[in-house]
Amino acid sequence: MSCIFCRIAAGEIPSQKVLENEQVVAIRDRAPQAPVHVLVMPKKHMASLAELEDPAIAAALLKGVKDVAAKEGLKEFRTIANTGAGAGQTVFHLHLHVLGGRDLGSLG
Ligand code: 5GP
Ligand code: ZN
């Protein structure tokens, strides 16, 4: 298994897990861009949002985002999914960034 996030999800590579259930795992980003920076990913490998077909996984991901925010005490947070290298994606296993804990301003 060469995908780094598959290996993290399987527990082969250590990570700081924030949440885990049957379909989804959430870990702290190793290079946080905000006081809270968590990555919510499906356990099943898919390269990006462009490959997401299963509505149950889509729902589990969004519920995971919401549950991470609640667990981290965030009332305000930003959720980002970079899709494709040109959009800033560097790890090609679908993940949603959850950022919060500071004033994030507006996107631009
Ligand atoms: P992307 O640029 O693909 O949207 O986001 C990838 C994110 O994964 C980056 O924010 C990067 O810091 C994080 N990351 C990459 N490799 C690892 C790792 O091995 N462990 C953890 N916890 N985060 C990682
Ligand atoms: Zn993977």
Side-chain angles (χ1 to χ4, degrees):
M1 202 194 298
S2 60
C3 171
I4 183 100
F5 283 1
C6 279
R7 297 183 69 189
I8 284 175
E12 286 178 28
I13 293 176
S15 66
Q16 283 184 269
K17 282 189 182 157
V18 175
L19 174 153
E20 182 170 12
N21 60 40
E22 210 175 300
Q23 280 169 315
V24 164
V25 58
I27 63 164
R28 293 198 192 282
D29 197 292
R30 71 170 177 194
Q33 304 299 307
V36 176
H37 188 172
V38 174
L39 306 172
V40 182
M41 64 189 75
K43 287 185 171 172
K44 184 179 176 202
H45 180 85
M46 52 198 78
S48 75
L49 209 46
E51 290 186 3
L52 177 59
E53 302 284 354
D54 184 343
I57 294 179
L61 283 169
L62 272 189
K63 174 76 159 56
V65 168
K66 180 222 150 205
D67 288 347
V68 163
K71 207 167 177 178
E72 296 291 308
L74 298 177
K75 290 200 178 109
E76 300 177 309
F77 55 95
R78 178 170 293 158
T79 308
I80 295 172
N82 297 320
T83 304
Q89 188 175 6
T90 58
V91 177
F92 291 86
H93 177 125
L94 172 60
H95 53 281
L96 305 182
H97 296 254
V98 181
L99 296 142
R102 68 168 167 85
D103 186 352
L104 294 161
S106 56
L107 283 176

